Amino acid sequence: MSKITFPKGGIHPPENKITEHLPIETMPIPDEVAILLSQHLGAPAKPIVAKGDKVLVGTLIGEAQGFISANIHSSVSGTVVKIDEIPDANGYPKTAVVIKVEGDEWEPSCDLSSELKKECPLSPSDIIEKIKQAGIVGMGGAGFPTHVKLMIPEGKSVDTLIINAAECEPYLTADHRLLLERTEELLVGVSILKKALSVDRAVIGIESNKPDAIKKLSETALEYEGIEIKELKTKYPQGAEKQLIKAVTGREVPSGRLPLDVGCVVINAGTAHAVYRAVQKNIPLIERVVTVTGKALKKPANLMVRTGTPVSVVVDYAGGLPDDICKVISGGPMMGKAMPNLDSTITKTTSGILVITGKEAIRPEPTACIRCAKCVSVCPMGLEPYLLEKLTENKLWDKAEEKAITDCVECGSCSYICPAARPLLDNIRYGKSTVMMIKRKRSAK
């Protein structure tokens, strides 16, 4: 099987997949959970429970509001203690339903049997509605509601479903283990997504550093019509949507356009598994695999964790914070964000918790740009990061827009390669958000 990849830029940071051989372990349910009502892109869900209410695992506790939003369900059984604000992973206060855990009772509609259900008699519209009711969102990090992604606007057409199984971020292995241990469930999920989109072709793109998962997927997929496995070269950011589409289909998503504009829909591997559970087992999205990792951590692991579980409890389960701890990152080291504290809770999009020591986190003092153009050579979007940084520093927003700053996928390859240790991504990210705000205001006039 030949290895394919995207043509522009890219880097190969140390992989550090220290948990890749560790099976998924189910983490004990905590005494109390705080389930955020905003675990997705779009409007927060509206709470439909109150203090004192009894809930089961799978009970709807927050209703989606607006077109881009998602339902929220209880991940535990117990009593609602309060509805209050708690910090999210970025430290911002967000509304959450706090539930005291009592037992582990599930909604009767949830099918907890281990039986694999392959056949799905539902129509495409019924599948999409079921995914919507189950609160399924993109589990790769963006949290975009999946049912919206599957609703193809009039005048558009899709011919290829791409499953993003690249997991190109260093350290993270949650998708790898899911691909290996839940292979059949995931493939049924892919088949269901194909039916929802009415397409004949699905491609699972997976990096070559997961040979065991590639072998198992390739062998098992023979029983599933219209599902191909594509081995991708191990290169970061292989899992970025536009880079994955280019690698798998050769199609290039134009600047400012969406995968839909080139006939593709991209769904994360974990999301495909969640779709199987939602459609075939009536289980809403109430838990996920989280890689808890770090070189100094006593018990790194791939854990199946209920949403709303405090990050502090997850870290304690993995052996607690080591000495000389410097940063705890939500996600991977390239695109993840440092958490201000451990008071936040696990959400539908928490793919990993990375613990980094002070020695590992040292960032050299930035010096002046030396015009080496290394940042240009690694940018997968063909941008000029050194220039975008300067335009941001000087608030030259018109010029930044002209130079396509909003095309930046925030992969951080430029910062990683910069010999002058320039904080390129930090500055470009600020410039990008500012230009996007300007564009939104201009469109609203």
Side-chain angles (χ1 to χ4, degrees), residues 212-321:
D212 48 1
I214 291 171
K215 183 174 185 293
K216 189 167 183 189
L217 274 171
S218 300
E219 291 171 355
T220 313
L222 294 174
E223 299 175 21
Y224 293 81
E225 190 176 344
I227 300 179
E228 306 165 31
I229 313 300
K230 292 279 189 185
E231 183 175 349
L232 306 167
K233 184 178 179 181
T234 300
K235 186 169 77 166
Y236 180 86
Q238 192 71 257
E241 211 167 53
K242 292 183 178 180
Q243 281 62 44
L244 185 60
I245 291 171
K246 181 69 176 176
V248 168
T249 68
R251 303 172 190 172
E252 188 151 333
V253 182
S255 174
R257 307 297 286 274
L258 298 170
L260 195 57
D261 294 307
V262 294
C264 297
V265 166
V266 181
I267 301 283
N268 171 262
T271 308
H273 180 254
V275 164
Y276 167 79
R277 283 164 54 99
V279 175
Q280 303 293 77
K281 297 286 187 173
N282 299 315
I283 299 175
L285 185 45
I286 51 91
E287 61 186 352
R288 66 157 298 143
V289 183
V290 179
T291 300
V292 190
T293 184
K295 293 176 183 173
L297 208 56
K298 284 183 183 173
K299 294 191 302 178
N302 295 298
L303 301 174
M304 184 66 81
V305 188
R306 302 282 177 95
T307 54
T309 301
V311 171
S312 57
V313 172
V314 177
V315 171
D316 284 346
Y317 188 78
L321 290 178

Side-chain angles (χ1 to χ4, degrees), residues 296-298 315 319-326 355 357:
L297 208 56
K298 284 183 183 173
V315 171
L321 290 178
D323 295 336
D324 188 29
I325 184 61
C326 178
V355 174
T357 63

Side-chain angles (χ1 to χ4, degrees), residues 24-323:
I24 298 169
E25 181 182 349
T26 300
M27 189 175 157
I29 304 169
D31 296 333
E32 188 173 277
V33 296
I35 303 172
L36 288 172
L37 291 167
S38 181
Q39 302 182 43
H40 49 266
L41 206 65
K46 180 182 177 183
I48 59 169
V49 291
K51 180 181 177 181
D53 285 354
K54 296 287 186 182
V55 296
L56 301 176
V57 182
T59 301
L60 183 67
I61 59 173
E63 275 185 344
Q65 300 294 299
F67 181 62
I68 299 181
S69 185
N71 284 340
I72 302 291
H73 301 78
S74 177
S75 61
V76 296
S77 58
T79 304
V80 176
V81 176
K82 60 183 176 179
I83 297 174
D84 203 354
E85 289 189 337
I86 66 162
D88 67 7
N90 296 318
Y92 296 112
K94 296 284 174 61
T95 305
V97 177
V98 181
I99 303 169
K100 181 185 176 186
V101 177
E102 296 158 356
D104 189 27
E105 303 296 322
W106 290 62
E107 286 284 348
S109 57
C110 296
D111 178 356
L112 301 181
S113 72
S114 58
E115 177 198 2
L116 179 72
K117 284 190 172 179
K118 279 191 171 183
E119 300 303 319
C120 176
L122 299 177
S123 68
S125 59
D126 286 343
I127 291 172
I128 293 172
E129 180 61 24
K130 209 159 181 183
I131 289 170
K132 177 183 177 182
Q133 293 304 320
I136 307 298
V137 303
M139 295 170 72
F144 192 83
T146 302
H147 69 278
V148 178
K149 203 174 245 191
L150 298 175
M151 296 165 69
I152 308 304
E154 198 172 332
K156 302 282 186 183
S157 63
V158 171
D159 60 21
T160 306
L161 165 67
I162 299 175
I163 301 300
N164 186 354
E167 200 168 46
C168 59
E169 270 272 359
Y171 283 97
L172 301 187
T173 58
D175 284 351
H176 183 176
R177 294 310 308 181
L178 202 61
L179 292 161
L180 202 55
E181 299 178 39
R182 308 286 195 274
T183 314
E184 288 249 50
E185 295 178 355
L186 194 142
L187 288 171
V188 175
V190 176
S191 299
I192 291 170
L193 287 164
K194 276 178 59 197
K195 187 173 183 180
L197 289 167
S198 301
V199 298
D200 296 325
R201 184 188 187 213
V203 182
I204 300 177
I206 178 169
E207 280 196 335
S208 57
N209 60 359
K210 305 172 189 60
D212 48 1
I214 291 171
K215 183 174 185 293
K216 189 167 183 189
L217 274 171
S218 300
E219 291 171 355
T220 313
L222 294 174
E223 299 175 21
Y224 293 81
E225 190 176 344
I227 300 179
E228 306 165 31
I229 313 300
K230 292 279 189 185
E231 183 175 349
L232 306 167
K233 184 178 179 181
T234 300
K235 186 169 77 166
Y236 180 86
Q238 192 71 257
E241 211 167 53
K242 292 183 178 180
Q243 281 62 44
L244 185 60
I245 291 171
K246 181 69 176 176
V248 168
T249 68
R251 303 172 190 172
E252 188 151 333
V253 182
S255 174
R257 307 297 286 274
L258 298 170
L260 195 57
D261 294 307
V262 294
C264 297
V265 166
V266 181
I267 301 283
N268 171 262
T271 308
H273 180 254
V275 164
Y276 167 79
R277 283 164 54 99
V279 175
Q280 303 293 77
K281 297 286 187 173
N282 299 315
I283 299 175
L285 185 45
I286 51 91
E287 61 186 352
R288 66 157 298 143
V289 183
V290 179
T291 300
V292 190
T293 184
K295 293 176 183 173
L297 208 56
K298 284 183 183 173
K299 294 191 302 178
N302 295 298
L303 301 174
M304 184 66 81
V305 188
R306 302 282 177 95
T307 54
T309 301
V311 171
S312 57
V313 172
V314 177
V315 171
D316 284 346
Y317 188 78
L321 290 178
D323 295 336

Side-chain angles (χ1 to χ4, degrees), residues 310-382:
V311 171
S312 57
V313 172
V314 177
V315 171
D316 284 346
Y317 188 78
L321 290 178
D323 295 336
D324 188 29
I325 184 61
C326 178
K327 278 185 185 176
V328 179
I329 294 173
S330 177
M334 299 300 294
M335 296 188 75
K337 293 181 179 175
M339 293 189 284
N341 51 54
L342 303 185
D343 296 336
S344 60
T345 59
I346 299 299
T347 70
K348 298 174 182 178
T349 61
T350 310
S351 55
I353 303 293
L354 172 60
V355 174
I356 292 181
T357 63
K359 187 179 176 183
E360 293 172 292
I362 289 175
R363 292 176 72 170
E365 199 64 29
T367 57
C369 174
I370 58 173
R371 302 288 193 271
C372 65
K374 286 187 176 180
C375 60
V376 178
S377 68
V378 300
C379 179
M381 294 302 295

Side-chain angles (χ1 to χ4, degrees), residues 423-435:
L424 292 164
L425 176 59
D426 295 341
N427 287 325
I428 294 172
R429 191 177 266 160
Y430 169 66
K432 177 183 172 181
S433 63
T434 302
V435 170

